[in-house]
Amino acid sequence: MAEPRSWRDGAVRLTTLPLIAIFGAFFLVPLVMTAVLSFQGTQYYRLVWTWDLKIWRDVFSQWHYWSIMLRTLSMACICTALCILIALPVAYALVTRLKDWADHVTLLIVFAFLTDAVLKTFGWVLFLDRSGVLNGMLEGLGFGKAALDVLFSPFATMIGMVYSLLPYAIFTIALSMARIDRDLVLAAYDSGASRWRTLREVTLPLARPGIVAGAVLVFVLSLGVFLEPRVMGGGTSPMAAELIRQSFETRVNWPLGAALTLVVIVIGALSLALFGGLALGAGRRARA
Amino acid sequence: MRKRGLIDFLLPASVVVVLVFFYIPIATLVLFSFTSSRFLSWPIPGFSLRWYGELLADRNFWAALTNSAVLAAVATVLATTLGILGAFAWMRWRFRCQRAFQVLTFAPLLFPQLLLGVVMLLWFSVLAGWLNTSPGLWSAVIGHVVYITPFAIVIVSVQMYGFDTSLEQAAEDAGASRWQVLSQVTLPLLWPGIFSALIFAFLLSWGNFYITYSLSGSARTLPTYVFSGIAVGSSPIYPALATLTFAPALVLIVIVDVMRRRAARRRAGA
């Protein structure tokens, strides 16, 4: 279907050059600039062109930054695990059991996904608050006042993160499960495999590219969450994005902000490269 | 048929639980938008439409609404146009360095949005210094385009997957010019995908907080208006705003679904 063409072809130029110009000028150039900026310094809230490694030494030597980075990483790992665990049965049910309803369910998830994130986190605050809907209902059931006081804790942050990233996991896994050849599953049944064994030895391995892709996507995006720790976590346990925002806005230390941004980007890129390769390899092996 | 076990109950139940989970905050907002009290606590003392009135009387709300509409309209048109171009370059041909092109045009989707915004802000501050302006809606438009275009490319590419090029060939053989083939055969066939991309892009831009927050300078859109509002103190006007914006979004998404289904039926019939 894809026809080989050269760069001299007018249509190829017409379709690629505008995109290259925009993504080059407003995506690549800013990335390079961030890298350059991280080697400069500040004095009296002003940028000084020093070209040294001072900021990088600070970033790696101060426990404060390490602790926030480690918290970000562990929150991202927990969030990824939860999203995959929840998404697996949901995607499986959508693809194999609920064929007539799958479209409507997908539509409902897409609508929730596309709704303004600020409003959604605010909705969670109203629900989880000490005097919110959840505690009001629990009180009605006889559990006493403010039975579940979870708002403004890392637990609430985690609810918010899973909430906003779960659709990515559901859609990538459902997509890879929908492409599994139904005959392979039926063949496994015919040769006497139990349902559990078929799931474990046929369906899950074949869906692995989707599972890995979903996990990487959730992990990388969860490194940058800001609204959830701020609004639902109450700012009590800041994560990397909050630290970056503070170094730009409150401390007006742009080189520091640039260096911290790069740390997160590099962690994300490394996990993408690592697991992306894994997903591709798994896909190739599954097809072979 | 195998006998029905616990699993046949658990799997559909997991879908129901997840849907409830997704709609908890949304339902909470709708509920609180009709409260008569100024405090957002449960149980609601009585129902009223008072907060809708207060919201509509707030001049900042109208300014934010206008900004959101302008930003989303411009970003949608640009991102979808680029998305169509990108989908052609992704799917129709093979050329040298195509992999690199695909990575470049897909990468922003893999970026945490706040970081994308911050990185672009650094560059826009420099640019604005040279051009003697400051970041504002214009930089937010560019930010939204960079963030949303990869989504548009993916959506149009999905429509392009399995595209029957023999139809174009037939039109060309019948003497149609390249432009006629494009406008009368190719684009109409891709229309369901383009339409979904338009709606998706609009809603992504409309609800975007992170990139607007980093790049829009002092201009406020609805999400940043709500963010700065709830930072100062919660008020029932925000649930009212949420409920007002849910309705049109829901209508748009249902339209997309109906279109997609009709296109699928036509394809199955053909």
Side-chain angles (χ1 to χ4, degrees):
Chain A
M1 181 181 86
E3 152 198 0
R5 291 214 181 172
S6 104
W7 275 96
R8 243 167 283 146
D9 184 82
V12 171
R13 283 193 188 167
L14 180 73
T15 53
T16 53
L17 292 185
L19 282 140
I20 292 176
I22 288 190
F23 282 78
F26 300 112
F27 181 63
L28 281 188
V29 171
L31 276 181
V32 172
M33 226 192 71
T34 310
V36 169
L37 208 56
S38 71
F39 296 104
Q40 318 308 331
T42 48
Q43 211 170 21
Y44 307 116
Y45 298 121
R46 297 201 137 236
L47 189 68
V48 193
W49 293 85
T50 52
W51 292 105
D52 58 18
L53 289 171
K54 185 177 167 304
I55 290 290
W56 284 105
R57 270 199 298 273
D58 281 359
V59 166
F60 283 107
S61 61
Q62 289 192 24
W63 172 241
H64 177 61
Y65 300 137
W66 276 100
S67 69
I68 291 184
M69 278 301 165
L70 289 178
R71 179 188 296 138
T72 308
L73 283 177
S74 46
M75 290 292 271
C77 287
I78 298 172
C79 176
T80 309
L82 285 175
C83 282
I84 296 299
L85 282 180
I86 300 172
L88 273 175
V90 173
Y92 187 72
L94 275 181
V95 173
T96 60
R97 301 300 166 95
L98 300 168
K99 290 221 180 77
D100 300 337
W101 290 92
D103 280 353
H104 300 280
V105 173
T106 311
L107 200 66
L108 284 171
I109 299 178
V110 167
F111 175 71
F113 171 68
L114 287 175
T115 301
D116 180 351
V118 182
L119 288 173
K120 282 186 297 193
T121 40
F122 185 54
W124 273 113
V125 170
L126 298 181
F127 183 79
L128 295 175
D129 194 22
R130 285 175 69 90
S131 55
V133 179
L134 180 64
N135 281 312
M137 285 175 167
L138 287 175
E139 198 183 333
L141 291 174
F143 282 96
K145 263 201 165 342
L148 262 181
D149 194 9
V150 290
L151 192 64
F152 305 140
S153 71
F155 182 70
T157 308
M158 186 52 71
I159 294 180
M161 287 170 67
V162 171
Y163 181 83
S164 56
L165 297 172
L166 185 58
Y168 288 101
I170 293 180
F171 289 135
T172 44
I173 295 178
L175 213 61
S176 70
M177 281 186 174
R179 287 173 57 184
I180 292 177
D181 194 346
R182 200 68 199 135
D183 292 346
L184 286 176
V185 178
L186 293 177
Y189 284 149
D190 284 347
S191 52
S194 71
R195 262 204 303 211
W196 175 240
R197 194 157 163 224
T198 311
L199 179 71
R200 223 183 41 212
E201 294 185 7
V202 180
T203 311
L204 283 184
L206 285 174
R208 189 148 70 194
I211 298 172
V212 176
V216 175
L217 201 54
V218 170
F219 179 77
V220 171
L221 294 179
S222 65
L223 291 176
V225 293
F226 164 71
L227 270 175
E228 291 83 0
R230 176 55 115 46
V231 178
M232 293 174 71
T236 48
S237 45
M239 290 172 55
E242 177 68 25
L243 182 66
I244 290 171
R245 194 201 59 85
Q246 275 176 11
S247 38
F248 279 112
E249 279 178 26
T250 323
R251 301 172 58 181
V252 205
N253 191 339
W254 285 30
L256 177 66
L260 292 169
T261 306
L262 278 183
V263 171
V264 177
I265 291 177
V266 167
I267 294 175
L270 281 181
S271 45
L272 265 177
L274 194 66
F275 290 100
L278 212 70
L280 277 181
R284 225 168 277 144
R285 237 174 297 128
R287 239 172 286 136
Chain B
M1 208 52 216
R2 298 168 161 270
K3 69 175 188 314
R4 300 177 72 79
L6 190 60
I7 200 80
D8 294 291
F9 166 74
L10 283 180
L11 278 174
S14 73
V15 176
V16 174
V17 169
V18 162
L19 278 182
V20 169
F21 177 60
F22 275 127
Y23 279 85
I24 282 177
I26 294 175
T28 308
L29 287 167
V30 174
L31 206 65
F32 274 118
S33 74
F34 295 109
T35 182
S36 60
S37 153
R38 97 150 297 323
F39 301 104
L40 293 166
S41 59
W42 186 262
I44 292 172
F47 286 89
S48 86
L49 292 174
R50 170 181 163 205
W51 301 105
Y52 286 89
E54 299 232 344
L55 174 72
L56 298 181
D58 183 356
R59 202 168 322 136
N60 291 331
F61 162 70
W62 290 103
L65 184 73
T66 316
N67 279 339
S68 275
V70 170
L71 175 59
V74 178
T76 300
V77 172
L78 290 176
T80 310
T81 311
L82 288 169
I84 297 169
L85 295 180
F88 271 96
W90 272 35
M91 305 291 291
R92 292 296 292 276
W93 309 304
R94 290 284 163 265
F95 47 88
R96 212 135 48 95
C97 303
Q98 189 176 29
R99 222 341 89 111
F101 175 77
Q102 287 171 336
V103 169
L104 175 69
T105 48
F106 189 71
L109 201 151
L110 300 171
F111 257 66
Q113 284 185 52
L114 186 84
L115 301 191
L116 194 62
V118 160
V119 166
M120 290 212 275
L121 176 66
L122 295 178
W123 177 224
F124 281 129
S125 308
V126 175
L127 271 186
W130 289 343
L131 301 171
N132 228 342
T133 80
S134 55
L137 268 190
W138 64 273
S139 47
V141 166
I142 299 176
H144 280 214
V145 168
V146 170
Y147 172 63
I148 295 168
T149 300
F151 285 95
I153 296 180
V154 171
I155 295 172
V156 180
S157 294
V158 168
Q159 187 72 38
M160 216 177 258
Y161 187 79
F163 187 88
D164 187 1
T165 44
S166 63
L167 290 169
E168 291 177 343
Q169 198 60 51
E172 232 166 89
D173 291 345
S177 70
R178 269 178 95 167
W179 175 245
Q180 280 173 323
V181 172
L182 184 68
S183 65
Q184 316 222 341
V185 179
T186 315
L187 288 182
L189 282 172
L190 293 177
W191 174 242
I194 295 172
F195 187 75
S196 328
L198 279 170
I199 302 291
F200 218 83
F202 184 84
L203 291 174
L204 275 175
S205 170
W206 180 265
N208 185 283
F209 165 71
Y210 287 98
I211 291 176
T212 314
Y213 177 69
S214 311
L215 293 179
S216 68
S218 57
R220 288 230 178 105
T221 63
L222 288 178
T224 51
Y225 163 75
V226 174
F227 181 74
S228 51
I230 59 175
V232 180
S234 55
S235 153
I237 64 169
Y238 302 114
L241 185 155
T243 311
L244 280 184
T245 53
F246 287 159
L250 196 57
V251 170
L252 283 181
I253 290 179
V254 170
I255 292 177
V256 170
D257 193 52
V258 171
M259 291 258 315
R260 198 180 48 81
R261 219 174 289 213
R262 201 176 295 161
R265 219 176 304 136
R266 215 178 302 139
R267 206 180 292 175

Coordinates of all heavy atoms in Angstrom, one line a residue, chain B residues 203-267:
Chain B
L203 N -12.0 19.4 21.7 CA -12.2 19.1 23.1 C -10.9 19.1 23.9 O -10.8 19.5 25.0 CB -13.0 17.8 23.3 CG -14.4 17.9 22.8 CD1 -15.1 16.5 22.8 CD2 -15.2 18.9 23.6
L204 N -9.8 18.5 23.2 CA -8.5 18.5 23.9 C -8.0 19.9 24.2 O -7.5 20.2 25.3 CB -7.5 17.8 23.0 CG -7.4 16.3 23.1 CD1 -6.4 15.8 22.1 CD2 -6.9 15.9 24.5
S205 N -8.2 20.8 23.2 CA -7.8 22.2 23.4 C -8.7 22.9 24.5 O -8.2 23.6 25.3 CB -7.8 22.9 22.1 OG -7.6 24.3 22.3
W206 N -10.0 22.7 24.3 CA -11.0 23.3 25.2 C -10.7 23.0 26.7 O -10.7 23.8 27.6 CB -12.3 22.9 24.8 CG -13.5 23.4 25.6 CD1 -14.1 22.8 26.7 CD2 -14.1 24.7 25.4 NE1 -15.1 23.6 27.2 CE2 -15.1 24.8 26.4 CE3 -14.0 25.7 24.5 CZ2 -16.0 25.9 26.5 CZ3 -14.8 26.8 24.6 CH2 -15.8 26.9 25.6
G207 N -10.4 21.7 27.0 CA -10.2 21.3 28.3 C -8.8 21.4 28.8 O -8.4 21.0 29.9
N208 N -7.8 21.9 27.9 CA -6.4 21.8 28.3 C -6.1 22.8 29.4 O -6.3 23.9 29.3 CB -5.6 22.0 27.1 CG -4.1 21.8 27.4 OD1 -3.5 22.7 28.0 ND2 -3.6 20.7 27.0
F209 N -5.4 22.2 30.4 CA -5.0 23.1 31.5 C -3.5 23.4 31.5 O -3.0 24.5 31.4 CB -5.3 22.5 32.9 CG -4.6 23.1 34.0 CD1 -4.9 24.4 34.4 CD2 -3.6 22.5 34.7 CE1 -4.2 25.0 35.5 CE2 -2.9 23.0 35.7 CZ -3.2 24.3 36.1
Y210 N -2.7 22.3 31.4 CA -1.3 22.4 31.6 C -0.6 23.3 30.6 O 0.2 24.2 31.0 CB -0.6 21.0 31.5 CG -0.9 20.1 32.6 CD1 -1.9 19.1 32.6 CD2 -0.1 20.2 33.8 CE1 -2.1 18.3 33.7 CE2 -0.4 19.3 34.9 CZ -1.4 18.4 34.8 OH -1.6 17.5 35.8
I211 N -0.9 23.2 29.3 CA -0.1 24.0 28.4 C -0.6 25.4 28.4 O 0.2 26.3 28.4 CB -0.3 23.3 27.0 CG1 0.5 22.0 27.0 CG2 0.2 24.2 25.9 CD1 0.3 21.2 25.7
T212 N -1.9 25.6 28.6 CA -2.4 27.0 28.7 C -1.8 27.7 29.9 O -1.3 28.8 29.8 CB -3.9 27.0 28.8 OG1 -4.5 26.1 27.9 CG2 -4.5 28.4 28.6
Y213 N -1.8 26.9 31.0 CA -1.2 27.5 32.2 C 0.2 27.9 32.1 O 0.6 29.0 32.6 CB -1.3 26.4 33.3 CG -0.8 26.7 34.7 CD1 -1.4 27.6 35.5 CD2 0.3 26.0 35.1 CE1 -0.9 27.9 36.7 CE2 0.9 26.3 36.4 CZ 0.2 27.2 37.2 OH 0.7 27.5 38.4
S214 N 1.0 27.2 31.4 CA 2.4 27.5 31.2 C 2.6 28.7 30.2 O 3.4 29.5 30.4 CB 3.2 26.4 30.7 OG 3.0 25.2 31.4
L215 N 1.7 28.7 29.1 CA 2.1 29.5 28.0 C 1.2 30.7 27.7 O 1.6 31.6 26.9 CB 2.0 28.7 26.7 CG 3.1 27.6 26.6 CD1 2.9 26.8 25.3 CD2 4.5 28.2 26.6
S216 N 0.1 30.9 28.4 CA -0.9 31.9 28.0 C -0.6 33.3 28.6 O -1.4 34.2 28.4 CB -2.3 31.5 28.2 OG -2.5 31.4 29.6
G217 N 0.5 33.4 29.4 CA 0.8 34.7 30.0 C -0.3 35.1 30.9 O -0.7 34.3 31.8
S218 N -0.9 36.3 30.7 CA -1.9 36.7 31.6 C -3.3 36.4 31.1 O -4.3 36.6 31.8 CB -1.8 38.2 31.9 OG -1.9 38.9 30.6
A219 N -3.4 35.9 29.9 CA -4.7 35.5 29.3 C -5.3 34.3 30.0 O -4.5 33.3 30.2 CB -4.6 35.3 27.8
R220 N -6.5 34.3 30.4 CA -7.1 33.2 31.1 C -8.1 32.4 30.2 O -8.9 33.1 29.6 CB -7.8 33.6 32.4 CG -6.9 34.0 33.4 CD -7.3 33.4 34.7 NE -6.4 33.7 35.8 CZ -6.7 34.6 36.7 NH1 -7.9 35.1 36.8 NH2 -5.8 34.9 37.7
T221 N -8.0 31.1 30.2 CA -9.1 30.3 29.6 C -9.9 29.7 30.7 O -9.6 29.8 31.9 CB -8.5 29.2 28.7 OG1 -7.8 28.3 29.6 CG2 -7.6 29.8 27.6
L222 N -11.0 28.9 30.3 CA -11.8 28.4 31.4 C -11.1 27.5 32.4 O -11.2 27.7 33.6 CB -13.0 27.6 30.7 CG -14.1 28.5 30.1 CD1 -15.1 27.6 29.4 CD2 -14.7 29.4 31.1
P223 N -10.2 26.5 31.9 CA -9.5 25.7 32.9 C -8.6 26.5 33.9 O -8.6 26.3 35.1 CB -8.7 24.8 32.1 CG -9.4 24.7 30.8 CD -10.0 26.0 30.6
T224 N -7.9 27.5 33.3 CA -7.0 28.3 34.2 C -7.9 29.3 35.1 O -7.5 29.6 36.2 CB -6.0 29.1 33.5 OG1 -6.6 29.8 32.4 CG2 -4.9 28.2 32.9
Y225 N -9.0 29.7 34.6 CA -9.9 30.5 35.4 C -10.4 29.7 36.6 O -10.4 30.2 37.7 CB -11.1 31.0 34.5 CG -12.3 31.5 35.2 CD1 -12.3 32.8 35.8 CD2 -13.5 30.7 35.2 CE1 -13.5 33.2 36.4 CE2 -14.6 31.2 35.8 CZ -14.6 32.4 36.4 OH -15.7 32.9 37.0
V226 N -10.8 28.5 36.4 CA -11.3 27.6 37.5 C -10.1 27.3 38.4 O -10.3 27.4 39.6 CB -11.8 26.3 36.9 CG1 -12.2 25.4 38.1 CG2 -13.1 26.5 36.1
F227 N -8.9 27.0 37.9 CA -7.8 26.7 38.7 C -7.5 27.9 39.7 O -7.3 27.7 40.9 CB -6.6 26.4 37.9 CG -5.3 26.0 38.7 CD1 -5.3 24.8 39.3 CD2 -4.3 26.9 38.8 CE1 -4.2 24.4 40.0 CE2 -3.2 26.6 39.6 CZ -3.1 25.3 40.2
S228 N -7.4 29.1 39.1 CA -7.0 30.2 40.0 C -8.2 30.5 41.0 O -8.0 30.9 42.1 CB -6.6 31.4 39.2 OG -7.6 31.7 38.3
G229 N -9.4 30.2 40.5 CA -10.6 30.4 41.4 C -10.6 29.5 42.6 O -10.7 29.9 43.7
I230 N -10.4 28.2 42.3 CA -10.4 27.2 43.5 C -9.2 27.3 44.3 O -9.2 26.9 45.5 CB -10.6 25.7 43.0 CG1 -9.5 25.3 42.1 CG2 -12.0 25.6 42.3 CD1 -9.6 23.8 41.7
A231 N -8.1 27.9 43.8 CA -7.0 28.1 44.7 C -7.3 29.2 45.8 O -6.8 29.1 46.9 CB -5.8 28.6 43.9
V232 N -8.2 30.1 45.5 CA -8.5 31.2 46.4 C -9.6 30.7 47.4 O -9.6 30.9 48.6 CB -9.0 32.4 45.7 CG1 -9.4 33.5 46.7 CG2 -8.0 32.9 44.7
G233 N -10.6 30.0 46.9 CA -11.7 29.5 47.7 C -12.7 28.9 46.8 O -13.0 29.4 45.8
S234 N -13.3 27.7 47.3 CA -14.3 27.1 46.4 C -15.6 27.8 46.4 O -15.9 28.4 47.5 CB -14.4 25.6 46.7 OG -14.8 25.5 48.1
S235 N -16.3 27.8 45.3 CA -17.6 28.4 45.2 C -18.5 27.6 44.3 O -17.9 27.0 43.4 CB -17.4 29.9 44.7 OG -18.6 30.2 44.0
P236 N -19.8 27.6 44.6 CA -20.6 26.7 43.7 C -20.7 27.2 42.3 O -21.3 26.6 41.4 CB -22.0 26.9 44.4 CG -21.7 27.3 45.7 CD -20.5 28.2 45.7
I237 N -20.1 28.4 41.9 CA -20.1 28.8 40.5 C -19.3 27.8 39.7 O -19.6 27.7 38.5 CB -19.7 30.2 40.3 CG1 -18.2 30.5 40.6 CG2 -20.6 31.2 41.0 CD1 -17.7 31.8 40.1
Y238 N -18.3 27.2 40.2 CA -17.4 26.3 39.4 C -18.2 25.0 39.0 O -18.1 24.6 37.9 CB -16.1 26.0 40.1 CG -15.4 27.3 40.3 CD1 -15.2 27.8 41.6 CD2 -15.0 28.2 39.3 CE1 -14.6 29.0 41.9 CE2 -14.4 29.4 39.5 CZ -14.2 29.8 40.8 OH -13.6 31.0 41.0
P239 N -18.9 24.3 40.0 CA -19.7 23.2 39.5 C -20.8 23.7 38.5 O -21.0 22.9 37.5 CB -20.4 22.8 40.8 CG -19.5 23.1 41.9 CD -18.8 24.4 41.4
A240 N -21.3 24.9 38.6 CA -22.3 25.4 37.6 C -21.6 25.5 36.2 O -22.1 25.1 35.2 CB -22.8 26.7 38.0
L241 N -20.4 26.0 36.2 CA -19.6 26.1 35.0 C -19.4 24.8 34.4 O -19.5 24.6 33.2 CB -18.3 26.8 35.3 CG -17.3 27.2 34.1 CD1 -16.4 28.3 34.5 CD2 -16.5 26.0 33.7
A242 N -19.0 23.8 35.2 CA -18.7 22.4 34.8 C -20.0 21.9 34.1 O -19.9 21.4 32.9 CB -18.3 21.5 35.9
T243 N -21.1 22.0 34.7 CA -22.4 21.4 34.2 C -22.7 22.1 32.8 O -23.1 21.4 31.9 CB -23.5 21.6 35.2 OG1 -23.0 21.2 36.5 CG2 -24.7 20.8 34.8
L244 N -22.5 23.4 32.8 CA -22.8 24.1 31.5 C -21.9 23.7 30.4 O -22.4 23.6 29.2 CB -22.6 25.7 31.7 CG -23.7 26.4 32.4 CD1 -23.3 27.9 32.4 CD2 -25.0 26.2 31.6
T245 N -20.6 23.3 30.7 CA -19.8 22.9 29.6 C -19.9 21.4 29.2 O -19.5 21.0 28.2 CB -18.3 23.2 29.9 OG1 -17.9 22.6 31.1 CG2 -18.0 24.7 29.9
F246 N -20.4 20.6 30.2 CA -20.6 19.2 29.9 C -21.5 18.9 28.7 O -21.3 18.1 27.8 CB -21.1 18.4 31.1 CG -20.1 18.3 32.2 CD1 -20.4 18.0 33.5 CD2 -18.7 18.4 31.9 CE1 -19.5 17.9 34.5 CE2 -17.8 18.3 32.9 CZ -18.2 18.0 34.2
A247 N -22.7 19.7 28.7 CA -23.7 19.4 27.8 C -23.2 19.5 26.3 O -23.4 18.5 25.6 CB -24.9 20.3 28.0
P248 N -22.6 20.6 25.9 CA -22.2 20.7 24.5 C -21.1 19.6 24.1 O -21.1 19.0 23.0 CB -21.6 22.1 24.3 CG -21.7 22.7 25.6 CD -22.4 21.9 26.6
A249 N -20.2 19.3 25.1 CA -19.2 18.3 24.8 C -19.8 17.0 24.6 O -19.4 16.2 23.7 CB -18.2 18.3 26.0
L250 N -20.8 16.6 25.4 CA -21.5 15.3 25.2 C -22.2 15.2 23.9 O -22.0 14.2 23.2 CB -22.5 15.2 26.3 CG -23.0 13.7 26.6 CD1 -21.9 12.8 26.8 CD2 -24.0 13.7 27.7
V251 N -22.8 16.3 23.5 CA -23.5 16.4 22.1 C -22.4 16.1 21.0 O -22.6 15.3 20.1 CB -24.2 17.7 21.9 CG1 -24.7 17.8 20.5 CG2 -25.4 17.8 22.9
L252 N -21.3 16.8 21.1 CA -20.3 16.7 20.1 C -19.8 15.2 20.0 O -19.7 14.7 18.9 CB -19.1 17.6 20.4 CG -19.2 19.1 20.1 CD1 -18.0 19.8 20.5 CD2 -19.5 19.2 18.6
I253 N -19.6 14.6 21.2 CA -19.0 13.2 21.1 C -20.1 12.3 20.6 O -19.7 11.3 19.8 CB -18.6 12.8 22.5 CG1 -17.3 13.6 22.9 CG2 -18.2 11.4 22.6 CD1 -16.8 13.4 24.2
V254 N -21.3 12.5 20.9 CA -22.4 11.6 20.4 C -22.4 11.7 18.9 O -22.6 10.7 18.1 CB -23.7 11.9 21.0 CG1 -24.8 11.1 20.3 CG2 -23.7 11.4 22.5
I255 N -22.3 13.0 18.3 CA -22.3 13.2 16.9 C -21.2 12.4 16.2 O -21.4 11.7 15.2 CB -22.2 14.7 16.6 CG1 -23.4 15.4 17.0 CG2 -22.0 14.9 15.1 CD1 -23.3 16.9 16.8
V256 N -20.0 12.5 16.8 CA -18.9 11.7 16.3 C -19.2 10.2 16.2 O -18.9 9.6 15.2 CB -17.6 11.9 17.1 CG1 -16.5 10.9 16.7 CG2 -17.1 13.3 17.0
D257 N -19.8 9.7 17.3 CA -20.1 8.3 17.3 C -21.1 7.9 16.2 O -20.9 6.9 15.6 CB -20.6 7.9 18.7 CG -20.6 6.4 18.9 OD1 -19.6 5.8 18.7 OD2 -21.7 5.9 19.2
V258 N -22.1 8.7 16.1 CA -23.1 8.4 15.1 C -22.5 8.4 13.7 O -22.7 7.5 12.9 CB -24.3 9.5 15.1 CG1 -25.2 9.3 13.9 CG2 -25.1 9.3 16.4
M259 N -21.6 9.4 13.4 CA -21.0 9.5 12.1 C -20.1 8.3 11.9 O -20.1 7.7 10.8 CB -20.0 10.7 12.1 CG -20.7 12.1 12.1 SD -20.7 12.8 10.5 CE -19.1 12.6 9.9
R260 N -19.4 7.9 12.9 CA -18.4 6.8 12.7 C -19.2 5.5 12.5 O -18.9 4.7 11.6 CB -17.6 6.6 14.0 CG -16.4 5.8 13.9 CD -15.7 5.7 15.3 NE -16.6 5.3 16.3 CZ -17.0 4.1 16.5 NH1 -16.5 3.1 15.8 NH2 -17.8 3.8 17.5
R261 N -20.3 5.3 13.2 CA -21.1 4.1 13.0 C -21.7 4.1 11.6 O -21.8 3.0 10.9 CB -22.2 4.1 14.0 CG -22.5 2.8 14.6 CD -23.5 2.8 15.6 NE -22.8 3.5 16.8 CZ -23.2 3.1 18.0 NH1 -24.1 2.2 18.2 NH2 -22.6 3.7 19.0
R262 N -22.2 5.3 11.1 CA -22.8 5.3 9.8 C -21.7 4.9 8.7 O -22.0 4.2 7.8 CB -23.4 6.7 9.5 CG -24.4 6.7 8.4 CD -25.0 8.0 8.2 NE -25.8 8.5 9.4 CZ -26.1 9.7 9.6 NH1 -25.8 10.7 8.8 NH2 -26.9 10.1 10.6
A263 N -20.5 5.5 8.9 CA -19.4 5.2 8.0 C -19.1 3.7 8.0 O -18.9 3.1 6.9 CB -18.2 6.0 8.3
A264 N -19.1 3.1 9.2 CA -18.8 1.7 9.3 C -19.8 0.9 8.6 O -19.5 -0.1 7.9 CB -18.7 1.3 10.8
R265 N -21.1 1.3 8.7 CA -22.2 0.5 8.1 C -22.1 0.6 6.6 O -22.3 -0.3 5.9 CB -23.6 1.1 8.6 CG -24.6 0.0 8.8 CD -25.9 0.5 9.3 NE -25.7 1.3 10.5 CZ -26.3 2.5 10.7 NH1 -27.1 3.0 9.8 NH2 -26.2 3.1 11.9
R266 N -21.7 1.9 6.1 CA -21.6 2.0 4.7 C -20.5 1.1 4.1 O -20.6 0.5 3.1 CB -21.3 3.5 4.4 CG -21.9 4.0 3.1 CD -21.6 5.4 2.8 NE -22.1 6.3 3.9 CZ -21.4 7.4 4.3 NH1 -20.2 7.6 3.8 NH2 -21.9 8.1 5.3
R267 N -19.4 1.1 4.9 CA -18.3 0.3 4.4 C -18.7 -1.2 4.4 O -18.3 -1.9 3.5 CB -17.1 0.5 5.3 CG -15.8 0.2 4.6 CD -14.6 0.4 5.5 NE -14.4 1.8 5.9 CZ -13.4 2.2 6.7 NH1 -12.7 1.3 7.3 NH2 -13.3 3.5 7.0

